[in-house]
Amino acid sequence: MIFICEAPIDAIELATLKRKHLVHRGGKNKDGNAVVVTDHDLDELIDNAMAIGENIHLSLENAINGESVETNTDF
């Protein structure tokens, strides 16, 4: 049995909310405060997106090979 690591869904949701503030609220949150995106934020988002992609890829490989998978994710 293969175990898949937990996907960083909560972090992706927070990044999506930040994007919403940037795109739909002119770069400000609901309270009118400026939304700041740092290089660290972007690096973390890329790492989290890659982790989700790797989990999906591994799950597909396992399904194709007929292997059972134990998941521990927020999906």
Side-chain angles (χ1 to χ4, degrees):
M1 185 173 303
I2 297 172
F3 292 91
I4 297 177
C5 64
E6 187 168 328
I9 299 300
D10 291 339
I12 296 289
E13 287 177 350
L14 289 174
T16 302
L17 179 61
K18 190 175 275 194
R19 178 207 171 271
K20 179 181 178 181
H21 293 321
L22 292 170
V23 173
H24 299 289
R25 294 198 170 105
K28 296 184 179 183
N29 64 17
K30 287 183 178 182
D31 298 326
N33 299 318
V35 174
V36 177
V37 179
T38 65
D39 287 340
H40 180 332
D41 294 337
L42 293 175
D43 290 339
E44 187 174 296
L45 178 59
I46 290 168
D47 290 344
N48 289 334
M50 291 293 294
I52 289 173
E54 289 168 0
N55 282 340
I56 292 170
H57 179 77
L58 182 59
S59 293
L60 289 172
E61 274 188 347
N62 291 335
I64 290 169
N65 295 329
E67 298 173 10
S68 64
V69 177
E70 178 76 24
T71 60
N72 183 17
T73 67
D74 292 337
F75 289 120

